[in-house]
């Protein structure tokens, strides 16, 4: 199964842009760009009434032909003056006269304008706090911590997406007990290009434990093109809340696209010398892309090591000690995802992590 999502046709969460122009050719172009962004605009051939569409529209696109008729209009933000003549120096003066925020010359600025229209149609606000989790060595527990972070975030009422970026990891939907849940997996997005609608993406994914999960299916596909990874993750981030990404230790172009969009990353390191040595190699690569890389240490500790010493050896800030969740080690814990017990030590670790991370990022999203 393959699907390409290019835009989200619903704009209830955002609003409709306003177009003001009498230039028929320019209007055709602007309507085409609105359609590409999944937005249905309001169109005025003359100045709109003050206090009506002019004030209510989240974005106003003013044709250069109409600028002189808007000189007396009330000033507002999110006004774009759209023209065609690259060599007309007067366009900047006309933009100042109507209080435009931007001047856009077609066709060069088409992609920027499509993205801007799509933003207002989707009601885009603050992007999601995006956290990557990667193991310092194989079996470090990165997938377990990724799931626990996502489950905890969702329990706190945040819109949460858990992304499985490791095609060889067996599937995070399995770890969450939802391998049979309906919804799309990574291979369905392999053909995605450009801008993916955030709302359409969210609704297409399996819903497990009050969060959405983007995982791998059980087919032969073990990679999607980097441009698809970039588009899908960017769409997820535009929805706000939190995004947690379980990263593989095998870094390729697709993983590079993920790393470029992370706000911070956690390097999970068992407290043993060999694991610390392996983690140092991972940190040297990941740290070139991710500015905020922290170490999460998992016991038991080898002689002479503690969490602070592991962080010192790696030269990274310490995120804390990842505790063992006893319930996950017992047979009756089967079917319960990591972090499911709000009073468990792993959930408490994740809660404290989110409190710090969200505060550092400027509050709840």
């Amino acid at each position: 199964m393959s699907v390409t999502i290019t835009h989200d046709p619903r704009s209830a969460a955002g609003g409709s842009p306003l177009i003001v122009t009498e230039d028929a050719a320019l209007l055709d172009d602007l309507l085409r760009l609105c359609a590409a962004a999944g937005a249905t605009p309001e169109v005025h051939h003359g100045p709109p009434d003050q206090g009506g569409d002019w004030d209510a529209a989240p974005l106003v696109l003013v044709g250069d032909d109409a600028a002189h008729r808007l000189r007396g209009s009330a000033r507002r933000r999110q006004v774009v003056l759209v023209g065609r003549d690259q060599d007309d120096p007067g366009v900047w003066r006309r933009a100042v006269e109507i209080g435009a925020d931007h001047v856009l010359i077609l066709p060069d600025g088409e992609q920027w304008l499509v993205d801007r229209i799509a933003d207002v149609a989707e009601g885009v606000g603050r992007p999601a706090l995006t956290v990557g989790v990667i193991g310092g060595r194989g079996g470090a527990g990165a997938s377990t911590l990724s799931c626990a972070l996502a489950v905890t975030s969702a329990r706190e009422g945040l819109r949460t997406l858990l992304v499985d970026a490791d095609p060889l990891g067996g599937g995070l939907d399995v770890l969450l007990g939802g391998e049979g849940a309906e919804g799309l997996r990574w291979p369905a997005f392999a053909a995605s290009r450009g801008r993916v609608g955030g709302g359409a993406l969210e609704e297409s994914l399996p819903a497990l434990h009050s969060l959405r999960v983007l995982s791998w299916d059980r087919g032969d596909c073990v990679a999607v093109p980097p441009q698809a990874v970039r588009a899908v993750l960017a769409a997820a981030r535009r929805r706000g809340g939190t995004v947690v990404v379980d990263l593989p230790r095998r870094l390729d172009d697709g993983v590079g696209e993920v790393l470029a969009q992370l706000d911070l990353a956690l390097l999970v390191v068992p407290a043993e010398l060999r694991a610390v040595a392996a983690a140092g190699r991972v940190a040297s690569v990941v740290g070139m892309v991710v500015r905020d890389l922290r170490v999460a240490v998992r016991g038991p500790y080898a002689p002479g090591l503690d969490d602070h010493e592991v962080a010192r050896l790696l030269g990274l800030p310490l995120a804390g000690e990842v505790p063992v969740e006893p319930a996950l080690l017992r047979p009756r814990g089967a079917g319960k995802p990591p972090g499911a017990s709000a009073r468990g030590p792993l959930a408490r670790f994740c809660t404290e992590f989110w409190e710090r991370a969200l505060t550092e990022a400027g509050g709840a999203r």
Side-chain angles (χ1 to χ4, degrees), residues 3-274:
V3 62
T4 302
I5 299 176
T6 56
H7 66 271
D8 185 351
R10 296 161 309 149
S11 58
S16 299
L18 170 66
I19 297 175
V20 183
T21 183
E22 291 184 348
D23 185 330
L26 179 61
L27 178 59
D28 285 345
D29 281 339
L30 293 177
L31 290 175
R32 171 176 56 83
L33 297 177
C34 285
T40 303
E42 299 288 335
V43 178
H44 284 259
H45 298 292
D49 294 334
Q50 303 298 315
D53 291 341
W54 175 260
D55 292 332
L59 178 69
V60 179
L61 309 177
V62 179
D64 194 26
D65 66 290
H68 68 282
R69 295 193 297 276
L70 295 174
R71 288 173 183 164
S73 298
R75 295 300 176 100
R76 52 153 293 162
R77 301 184 63 185
Q78 304 298 332
V79 175
V80 179
L81 182 63
V82 185
R84 295 180 180 278
D85 189 353
Q86 299 270 9
D87 300 319
D88 179 12
V91 69
W92 302 100
R93 173 179 51 79
R94 293 188 290 277
V96 172
E97 289 174 349
I98 66 171
D101 301 304
H102 299 278
V103 172
L104 189 77
I105 305 299
L106 298 180
D108 291 352
E110 285 193 356
Q111 187 56 57
W112 181 91
L113 189 55
V114 168
D115 288 343
R116 188 69 195 93
I117 296 169
D119 280 346
V120 300
E122 286 190 47
V124 173
R126 183 185 296 185
L129 177 60
T130 306
V131 178
V133 185
I134 187 169
R137 66 152 169 81
S143 295
T144 297
L145 180 56
S146 296
C147 288
L149 285 169
V151 168
T152 302
S153 172
R155 187 168 52 240
E156 294 297 321
L158 294 171
R159 174 186 279 116
T160 305
L161 173 62
L162 176 61
V163 178
D164 186 354
D166 186 359
L168 304 179
L172 291 186
D173 54 350
V174 176
L175 188 55
L176 290 171
E179 59 271 24
E182 293 185 0
L184 300 182
R185 268 66 173 179
W186 264 118
F189 299 98
S192 298
R193 301 291 186 275
R195 185 186 180 96
V196 172
L201 170 68
E202 184 176 4
E203 291 191 0
S204 73
L205 299 177
L208 300 168
H209 307 285
S210 301
L211 58 95
R212 297 284 178 165
V213 183
L214 177 53
S215 189
W216 296 86
D217 59 17
R218 263 39 79 183
D220 296 330
C221 179
V222 295
V224 298
Q227 57 267 36
V229 175
R230 181 192 318 128
V232 169
L233 190 58
R237 298 190 73 230
R238 287 196 301 272
R239 295 293 288 170
T242 66
V243 174
V244 181
V245 187
D246 183 28
L247 295 161
R249 297 178 65 248
R250 176 182 60 88
L251 304 182
D252 56 20
D253 290 342
V255 176
E257 293 290 349
V258 176
L259 294 177
Q261 297 195 50
L262 296 181
D263 293 305
L264 65 93
L266 294 177
L267 180 63
V268 185
V269 183
E272 55 188 47
L273 287 176
R274 188 176 180 186

